[in-house]
Amino acid sequence: MSKIQKDLELSELKHKLEDSLKEKEDAIHEMQDAKKKVREEIDRLQGMQGIMNDAKLLMSRNEQLSRELYIETDRRKELHNTYKNDEFTQQQKEWQLLGFFKK
């Protein structure tokens, strides 16, 4: 082989090596970008998990308040009915005193 051919082969090998190094650098950058995206997605998912946990807590509290409202509504209806009955009974007594009703 002549010196020129050896120089050409050496030059070609040098270019191949440079291309390989460039491809390696590109692959490293792509991997770093992918890792960054994965970390971002993990953070986003953790944020969503927090929102879901807050929503579950809110729904649980809402159900509890709904039950308490139902109980309070029934208690107030009972109190109202008792008051109306007492009022009616008081009115009957007044009418009896006035002679409208007999005992």
Side-chain angles (χ1 to χ4, degrees), residues 61-74:
R61 181 67 177 133
N62 190 34
E63 289 171 2
Q64 180 184 358
L65 288 172
S66 182
R67 286 190 300 272
E68 290 173 4
L69 178 62
Y70 180 79
I71 291 168
E72 183 65 18
T73 301
D74 279 354

Side-chain angles (χ1 to χ4, degrees), residues 26-37:
D26 291 344
I28 288 171
H29 289 296
E30 287 177 19
M31 184 178 68
Q32 288 170 341
D33 290 343
K35 284 181 179 180
K36 182 179 176 185
K37 287 179 183 178

